[in-house]
Amino acid sequence: MSDELRDKQLRRVRELGLRRQWQQALELLAELQESGVRIDAVTSTATMWACVKSEQWEHSLRLFEDMRPRLRLETVSCNAALCSYAQGGRWEEALQLFREMCESSPPPDIVSCTATINACVAQRQGAAALEVHGAMLRGGLAPTPAALDAAVRSCGTPHWREQLQLLKDMRQRGFQPEADTYDAAVLNCADAQQWAAALHLLGEMWKSAMSPKVETLAAAISACQRGGQWQEALHLFDVMEKQGQWSLAAARAALRACDDGHQPERAKSLLQDIWHRATPDSACYAAAISCCEGSQEWGEVLALFEEMRDYGLTPDISTYQAVQAAFVATGAWRKSLDLLEEMKAEGAEPPMSVLGTAAHACANQGQWQQVLQLLSDARQKGMRPDLDLYKASLRAASDGRKWETALQLLQDGQASAIRGAMSTSLSLFGRWKELETSNIYIVTTPEEPMLHFLTVVNNPAKDDRRDFEINLGSEGGIQLIPLSHKDTTGTDTPSTLFLDTTVPGRLIWYSYTTGKHKTWQNMLQVWNTTIVQVMCEAEETTLRLVLRKLTGEIIAKVRVQPGASWRDARKLMVPGLRPLLSKKLAFVSPLGEVLTRAHDERLLADILGCGGKPEVDRDAWRRFQ
């Protein structure tokens, strides 16, 4: 082929490329290659662009791979490849080529940046798009609206902050973001639970006379609800309806907002409105039922549940729990048990949370046998009873006079929650009534400060005074060891105290020696608490405790060793506090910590922040003869 004919044919290929006749251009290019004609970069690039403009990105990339090893690439050729990568969603290859252009040659231009960012849009590769955007700014290239818009749409939820900044940059440069761009940003903010940012973007859209998509508004309503802004969620739902827009997802989120805000009437109205537009799903009914439960509208809970079942909807666990709570409140223990059987018949094994509530429904109506049967069934299935089931079982054992069962429950290795509650909330001091005898007991500390680890029980009617040493018993019980005194001849045996968690302020005394039990009920008294501030002053090798009232008035000063415990300090404080012993005192450290018997073993220096921890025999004073 003569040079003149070759040049003519090459010009023909370029003309076909410019006219987007990519098929003819490829065919002529193939004939020239078979004839041994060397295809130059300009001709190949023109053919690539013809393919790009016709969205034939695979043909374009084949041409690029063919020319890449044998021709010196120009920016325009690389741009055609970058656009092809974008059409094919091959963002990784586009980013790699862009990086090569930045590091060597040819240098990228604004088309290169825009094409690479577009390659990141489909796969939501925000980090890659932001990298290209940063390189564009560092290279002194002025971002175009298309480049910024693509960068915004590339950002996913993790880059919602950068997305908002890009939108701000667009507006500052005088560019108006498209509605789709705003929609994408609102969805990201909603997914990131940034309800305030989502509402701000919606405001920008309405200000610019744009209409957000239905799914965008639904996501924003859900974000407000999940962010605890139930009023904003309902207001936005109202705005949505006024604009003639509606979706089941938005209505579902509004129902959850009603639940959060305890708006049962609005929830029921919303549910009825859904029926005029679509078919409510289980989540809609679950939100409405939960809302009525929170407002203690038990009749509505049960009515909605029956309606839900009539329409063939499957309740979730939260709905079953709400219905069981309604049965507890209405005393319908039989229906509570029937519901458990219905769940089993439907192939849904009742979870522990539902079993516990059913047990309370039975326990409240004195059906202690049913409660213990529920506990037995749960254990046979290998389920770990929770605190609610244990509490109901304890109450059932008490009602049925099954004291051995009650003690087994309290000693059960799985009842760690009960033992923890007992060890932290049990206080022996105060007035108690023994339910079996109606005797009144006053539990106080003894007069002798050295015996603070003893409890003195005094029955005023019988002038009965007994001292017990308090020890931590097995399985979380509190052991009361009776002590002999010269003025008493009692034959007390060691007793273990257990907290009956089903009734506030109730204790059970049980003697393993005699097998007998006693039930004590705390008698509430109202006291005026006097706050004592405990501060310290360092004195060479000792500490001086300074006890002050809130007014700043000094009550007393006491010298103690730095290695003393809070228990040691309390017995030394008694003489200085005698004028106040008739009142209930609350001791507060310089750090604002209320000091209780739970601090007994802690070093005083640690509590007060005074430093100094010499080694001492902290248990020497406890030796009682």
Side-chain angles (χ1 to χ4, degrees), residues 479-524:
Q479 279 274 323
L480 293 178
I481 309 300
L483 299 178
S484 299
H485 292 275
K486 60 183 180 180
D487 57 341
T488 60
T489 58
T491 58
D492 290 326
T493 59
S495 297
T496 299
L497 260 65
F498 295 104
L499 178 65
D500 183 350
T501 59
T502 64
V503 181
R506 179 166 293 184
L507 300 174
I508 298 174
W509 294 57
Y510 182 79
S511 171
Y512 288 96
T513 305
T514 64
K516 296 181 179 180
H517 75 276
K518 295 182 293 185
T519 309
W520 279 21
Q521 181 66 49
N522 185 260
M523 301 177 68
L524 180 65

Side-chain angles (χ1 to χ4, degrees), residues 460-471:
K462 298 183 178 180
D463 192 24
D464 178 17
R465 168 174 172 157
R466 290 171 290 176
D467 291 349
F468 297 88
E469 181 178 3
I470 303 175
N471 289 326

Side-chain angles (χ1 to χ4, degrees), residues 34-171:
E34 291 177 359
S35 302
V37 176
R38 181 181 177 82
I39 308 299
D40 59 18
V42 175
T43 303
S44 295
T45 300
T47 308
M48 286 179 63
W49 277 109
C51 293
V52 168
K53 292 174 183 177
S54 300
E55 297 186 359
Q56 298 297 318
W57 59 271
E58 291 174 310
H59 292 294
S60 174
L61 290 178
R62 289 194 191 100
L63 290 172
F64 181 70
E65 295 302 326
D66 176 68
M67 64 183 292
R68 194 171 187 177
R70 62 183 180 82
L71 297 173
R72 182 177 182 274
L73 298 179
E74 298 293 338
T75 299
V76 64
S77 305
C78 291
N79 287 348
L82 289 171
C83 290
S84 300
Y85 286 134
Q87 290 178 358
R90 298 164 67 169
W91 68 273
E92 292 174 304
E93 293 162 281
L95 183 62
Q96 180 61 35
L97 177 58
F98 179 81
R99 287 171 175 171
E100 292 175 4
M101 294 174 69
C102 292
E103 293 172 0
S104 55
S105 64
D109 58 12
I110 191 61
V111 177
S112 312
C113 298
T114 304
T116 307
I117 294 175
N118 279 330
C120 300
V121 172
Q123 303 299 323
R124 302 292 296 274
Q125 295 297 321
L130 292 171
E131 177 186 335
V132 177
H133 177 260
M136 178 171 55
L137 297 180
R138 289 191 298 273
L141 300 174
T144 62
L148 288 173
D149 185 81
V152 172
R153 289 184 289 112
S154 297
C155 292
T157 302
H159 300 97
W160 65 272
R161 291 184 179 85
E162 292 84 354
Q163 192 175 45
L164 292 180
Q165 184 60 49
L166 288 171
L167 284 171
K168 182 179 179 181
D169 291 345
M170 289 186 71
R171 292 191 295 269

Side-chain angles (χ1 to χ4, degrees), residues 283-599:
C284 294
Y285 270 96
I289 288 173
S290 178
C291 184
C292 293
E293 178 201 9
S295 301
Q296 298 186 359
E297 295 190 7
W298 307 117
E300 293 293 341
V301 169
L302 298 177
L304 289 173
F305 179 70
E306 290 301 323
E307 182 179 308
M308 179 182 186
R309 300 292 291 270
D310 290 342
Y311 287 113
L313 299 175
T314 302
D316 60 12
I317 297 302
S318 66
T319 302
Y320 280 121
Q321 291 173 334
V323 174
Q324 288 287 20
F327 289 149
V328 172
T330 57
W333 65 272
R334 292 185 184 276
K335 290 184 178 180
S336 178
L337 295 178
D338 290 342
L339 183 60
L340 297 181
E341 295 303 318
E342 291 177 19
M343 293 179 67
K344 295 175 185 177
E346 294 173 357
E349 187 65 36
M352 185 52 61
S353 57
V354 176
L355 285 175
T357 311
H360 276 292
C362 295
N364 287 352
Q365 301 304 312
Q367 301 299 317
W368 59 270
Q369 298 97 330
Q370 300 289 350
V371 176
L372 297 181
Q373 185 61 51
L374 288 174
L375 176 65
S376 176
D377 293 344
R379 284 174 164 169
Q380 288 178 2
K381 294 174 182 177
M383 301 176 70
R384 182 184 180 88
D386 62 2
L387 183 57
D388 285 338
L389 183 53
Y390 266 116
K391 290 170 67 176
S393 301
L394 276 172
R395 179 175 179 181
S398 176
D399 291 344
R401 315 297 287 180
K402 300 292 185 180
W403 295 110
E404 291 185 3
T405 302
L407 291 171
Q408 288 173 0
L409 283 168
L410 288 168
Q411 293 176 333
D412 195 322
Q414 295 180 1
S416 57
I418 291 180
R419 295 202 308 275
M422 179 165 56
S423 63
T424 57
S425 65
L426 179 59
S427 176
L428 297 176
F429 304 100
R431 294 172 62 88
W432 297 84
K433 180 178 181 179
E434 190 173 285
L435 301 186
E436 288 79 5
T437 63
S438 296
N439 287 341
I440 304 298
Y441 292 91
I442 301 174
V443 182
T444 65
T445 56
E447 293 84 352
E448 173 55 51
M450 289 294 289
L451 303 182
H452 267 232
F453 69 104
L454 300 182
T455 296
V456 175
V457 181
N458 184 28
N459 182 346
K462 298 183 178 180
D463 192 24
D464 178 17
R465 168 174 172 157
R466 290 171 290 176
D467 291 349
F468 297 88
E469 181 178 3
I470 303 175
N471 289 326
L472 184 62
S474 62
E475 302 297 338
I478 295 179
Q479 279 274 323
L480 293 178
I481 309 300
L483 299 178
S484 299
H485 292 275
K486 60 183 180 180
D487 57 341
T488 60
T489 58
T491 58
D492 290 326
T493 59
S495 297
T496 299
L497 260 65
F498 295 104
L499 178 65
D500 183 350
T501 59
T502 64
V503 181
R506 179 166 293 184
L507 300 174
I508 298 174
W509 294 57
Y510 182 79
S511 171
Y512 288 96
T513 305
T514 64
K516 296 181 179 180
H517 75 276
K518 295 182 293 185
T519 309
W520 279 21
Q521 181 66 49
N522 185 260
M523 301 177 68
L524 180 65
Q525 299 183 73
V526 179
W527 298 81
N528 291 322
T529 301
T530 299
I531 297 179
V532 178
Q533 293 178 308
V534 183
M535 308 179 72
C536 68
E537 298 174 350
E539 274 190 0
E540 299 180 353
T541 60
T542 62
L543 295 176
R544 183 187 294 272
L545 288 184
V546 181
L547 309 179
R548 300 175 182 268
K549 295 182 180 180
L550 286 180
T551 59
E553 177 185 352
I554 295 178
I555 302 172
K557 291 186 177 183
V558 182
R559 184 180 288 108
V560 298
Q561 294 297 322
S565 67
W566 172 237
R567 188 199 302 268
D568 301 337
R570 282 211 317 274
K571 66 176 183 178
L572 296 174
M573 290 159 47
V574 171
L577 293 173
R578 288 196 184 279
L580 300 176
L581 290 181
S582 60
K583 301 180 180 180
K584 186 175 182 180
L585 304 180
F587 300 94
V588 182
S589 74
L591 302 178
E593 187 178 17
V594 178
L595 306 179
T596 66
R597 290 184 179 273
H599 298 80

Side-chain angles (χ1 to χ4, degrees), residues 214-215 217-226 230 233-234 236-238 240-241 245-261 263 266-275 277-291 308 313-314 316 318-319:
V214 171
E215 55 267 30
L217 291 170
I221 293 170
S222 180
C224 291
Q225 181 269 320
R226 287 182 284 125
W230 65 271
L234 293 179
L236 185 55
F237 182 75
D238 291 338
M240 182 180 180
E241 285 195 305
Q245 295 175 296
W246 189 91
S247 74
L248 182 60
R252 188 186 302 119
L255 277 169
R256 293 192 179 112
C258 291
D259 184 16
D260 295 339
Q263 303 291 314
R266 179 71 188 275
K268 289 182 284 185
S269 174
L270 268 174
L271 190 61
Q272 292 303 314
D273 180 64
I274 293 175
W275 276 110
R277 302 170 183 262
T279 301
D281 56 16
S282 297
C284 294
Y285 270 96
I289 288 173
S290 178
C291 184
M308 179 182 186
L313 299 175
T314 302
D316 60 12
S318 66
T319 302

